[in-house]
Amino acid sequence: MRDWAALDKKYIWHPFTQMEEWLGSELLVIDSAEGNYVVDTNDNRYLDGISSLWVNIHGHRKKKIDDAIKRQLDKVAHSTLLGLASTSSIELAEKLVGITPRNLTKVFYSDSGSTAVEVGLKIAFQYWRNVGFDEKRFFLTLSDAYHGDTIGSVSLGGIDLFHSIFHPLLFNTLTIPAPFPYRYPNLTPEQCKEMSLDHLKKIVNERGHEIAAMVMEPLVQGAAGMIVHPEGYLREVANICRSNCILLVCDEVATGFGRTGKMFAVEHENVEPDILCLAKGLSGGYLPLAATLVSDKIFEAFLGKYTDYKTFFHGHSYTGNALACAAACAALDIFEEERVMESLPQKIECLRKELASQIAPLPWVADVRQCGFMVGIEIAEHVAARKAFPVEFRIGHQIILDVRKAGVILRPLGDVLVLMPPLSITEDEIRYLVGAAAQSIRNVCSNPKPFSL
Ligand SMILES: *Cc1c(COP(=O)(O)O)cnc(C)c1O
């Protein structure tokens, strides 16, 4: 067998990774997968506790998706949407319009969550130019937002660790504090919600005429550490935007496709965003694919003669890739055929119970946040004082290395341990996943040391 680890270290620069540390560490090299497990080059199986970074929703090597891709491969792998139409992209667009909020009628494809957001923000910006409101040029965002890693989506983001270095390259946004109850221990969730909404109302009163759109992750801010918004927040934000002529762009890249217990997070509060960004789970976690959906109102503002210059000049080489669209069609069919949404409430309840009994009582767990299949476990050195472990302990990282010994793959967000299993996980596997996480928190935190290789 080839020395995969050595070759990786020779050739690959990994994302979000301190490569000096990587080069000195032992690597886990994945070679295959089956169902809810990935398999390494030594034939060890690991429960995929983060759905291969939040994308794989029906498990790996799902026959229906595999077959759809093979069938598509016998027809065509890719043809361009610039100047040509294609059957699989049409089929998927019809399905997406059918399952998303009723006002959304048109689908613009791209390749990743970041580009889905770039497309959404460029459409929102140009919309106001096309209808003659040139002063509407600012975006409203939430603190701690994450919308991707390209410069436009980073501009909308507010996670300093990732974003501050690029500050000179970014455009300015208007930001309000996210309703994050954990951060405001003196406020009830309801007061926290009102505090955030008061900021929103104030800024909308003062600058509403300059604001093109509010961009937000509805219900759960994933990369921020699974911040779950208080109930009713999204509804109120949508109302305020609607009555002040501010477009609402919902980034459901993380929350979409069943993650929150409904197909889309906006359904929880009956919100119809003007623009909806989708990626991650869209292709079942198989191929890079994203979609930005818009309403008729938005679409129609781009219609005119060529010489009116209302065209949306944006597109990627692989826009609407046929293999990816075929995978996505199959992934959506599985939701119906296997009644996936109907199976979720019981699994979500099982996850809730396990978290309450095995995780919440641990002395290093400061907060357990759950919305459906999205879980964030806040680890702290002193829970009562909410005092974090020193950065050099890299406590989250130590925990996910420890849990590998129990055959579980996790990836933390700093000191927040994330559980984001495939929707196809069984209740037995949920119990195993939570039990293993609890044991690793105990193993690492009961005798904490600075991280070393
Ligand atoms: C992951 C994520 C993105 C970026 O998606 P990529 O496919 O990694 O570019 C954007 N928004 C949210 C909410 C995400 O969770």
Side-chain angles (χ1 to χ4, degrees):
M1 194 169 76
R2 305 191 73 193
D3 186 347
W4 295 112
L7 290 164
D8 178 279
K9 288 177 183 178
K10 184 166 178 202
Y11 292 117
I12 295 183
W13 186 344
H14 286 261
F16 281 95
T17 301
Q18 174 42 258
M19 289 304 293
E20 181 171 315
E21 184 181 301
W22 180 270
L23 294 173
S25 61
E26 221 176 285
L27 305 190
L28 200 166
V29 184
I30 300 302
D31 186 48
S32 64
E34 191 182 7
N36 301 322
Y37 296 83
V38 290
V39 183
D40 74 7
T41 44
N42 298 316
D43 278 337
N44 299 310
R45 282 158 53 91
Y46 302 86
L47 184 58
D48 189 352
I50 44 150
S51 305
S52 293
L53 224 85
W54 314 3
V55 298
N56 188 278
I57 47 179
H58 301 308
H60 297 275
R61 290 181 47 217
K62 185 79 182 165
K63 187 166 186 328
K64 182 161 178 105
I65 306 179
D66 292 2
D67 289 347
I69 293 173
K70 288 173 189 162
R71 233 179 303 119
Q72 183 62 43
L73 208 42
D74 284 332
K75 295 167 72 180
V76 58
H78 177 71
S79 64
T80 183
L81 289 197
L82 280 68
L84 297 174
S86 76
T87 48
S88 62
S89 67
I90 296 167
E91 206 166 337
L92 177 59
E94 183 182 33
K95 285 183 196 292
L96 287 174
V97 168
I99 60 171
T100 48
R102 250 178 329 187
N103 67 315
L104 300 171
T105 53
K106 292 287 192 291
V107 179
F108 193 100
Y109 287 114
S110 63
D111 325 319
S112 73
S114 305
T115 58
V117 172
E118 293 280 350
V119 166
L121 81 90
K122 284 175 74 177
I123 287 177
F125 185 84
Q126 187 174 339
Y127 168 81
W128 290 113
R129 263 122 220 94
N130 284 4
V131 298
F133 284 81
D134 286 6
E135 73 275 34
K136 277 184 156 316
R137 52 182 293 262
F138 288 102
F139 289 90
L140 244 175
T141 60
L142 294 177
S143 64
D144 303 281
Y146 178 79
H147 296 290
D149 294 333
T150 56
I151 290 297
S153 55
V154 168
S155 295
L156 301 172
I159 299 183
D160 279 351
L161 177 66
F162 306 163
H163 298 159
S164 59
I165 195 161
F166 299 109
H167 199 260
L169 298 180
L170 308 180
F171 57 76
N172 285 326
T173 59
L174 303 168
T175 303
I176 59 169
F180 185 10
Y182 178 79
R183 195 165 292 161
Y184 301 94
N186 300 327
L187 302 182
T188 64
E190 191 63 21
Q191 289 168 330
C192 183
K193 176 174 95 179
E194 291 307 322
M195 176 277 302
S196 179
L197 290 171
D198 286 346
H199 280 272
L200 177 63
K201 288 172 197 161
K202 182 163 183 290
I203 211 160
V204 163
N205 270 337
E206 287 166 6
R207 317 253 330 237
H209 60 288
E210 295 176 290
I211 299 173
M214 164 98 197
V215 185
M216 69 187 290
E217 299 159 79
L219 252 63
V220 189
Q221 293 181 232
M226 301 296 161
I227 299 179
V228 182
H229 295 160
E231 199 182 320
Y233 180 73
L234 171 63
R235 175 78 258 161
E236 297 255 0
V237 170
N239 288 344
I240 293 168
C241 289
R242 180 92 351 127
S243 46
N244 288 280
C245 286
I246 291 168
L247 299 177
L248 179 62
V249 181
C250 284
D251 174 354
E252 291 229 31
V253 170
T255 52
F257 303 103
R259 274 286 159 208
T260 64
K262 299 220 186 247
M263 197 60 169
F264 299 103
V266 292
E267 291 172 29
H268 289 272
E269 307 206 346
N270 288 317
V271 162
E272 296 193 334
D274 300 287
I275 298 177
L276 178 69
C277 308
L278 304 174
K280 288 206 168 98
L282 171 56
S283 70
Y286 268 63
L287 287 158
L289 180 66
T292 306
L293 282 86
V294 306
S295 64
D296 275 342
K297 175 181 92 171
I298 305 274
F299 180 73
E300 281 162 13
F302 288 74
L303 301 179
K305 294 196 189 63
Y306 184 81
T307 47
D308 293 339
Y309 298 107
K310 289 184 167 179
T311 306
F312 185 48
F313 288 107
H314 185 108
H316 304 277
S317 314
Y318 284 99
T319 293
N321 175 264
L323 289 177
C325 288
C329 283
L332 290 179
D333 288 346
I334 289 168
F335 273 99
E336 276 195 25
E337 285 166 20
E338 300 188 7
R339 300 179 157 275
V340 172
M341 296 313 297
E342 290 92 319
S343 76
L344 293 187
Q346 203 173 328
K347 294 184 190 182
I348 290 169
E349 183 56 21
C350 170
L351 185 55
R352 196 192 61 73
K353 277 197 187 135
E354 293 300 312
L355 290 167
S357 66
Q358 302 204 58
I359 300 284
L362 295 174
W364 312 276
V365 170
D367 197 20
V368 180
R369 302 184 279 271
Q370 179 190 9
C371 179
F373 265 54
M374 305 175 82
V375 174
I377 301 164
E378 183 100 31
I379 307 291
E381 186 169 21
H382 296 294
V383 165
R386 297 178 182 223
K387 183 173 169 293
F389 279 100
V391 174
E392 64 273 19
F393 278 45
R394 306 201 53 223
I395 210 77
H397 188 62
Q398 291 200 54
I399 293 168
I400 68 110
L401 291 182
D402 189 79
V403 82
R404 284 183 191 176
K405 296 178 209 147
V408 171
I409 298 291
L410 293 178
R411 163 111 189 153
L413 290 158
D415 291 353
V416 177
L417 197 61
V418 172
L419 308 183
M420 192 78 141
L423 306 181
S424 51
I425 193 169
T426 66
E427 290 187 41
D428 279 344
E429 287 166 342
I430 288 172
R431 281 185 277 271
Y432 186 79
L433 172 66
V434 176
Q439 188 55 48
S440 287
I441 294 171
R442 248 182 251 117
N443 291 349
V444 172
C445 297
S446 58
N447 182 20
K449 307 188 253 298
F451 175 67
S452 67
L453 290 170

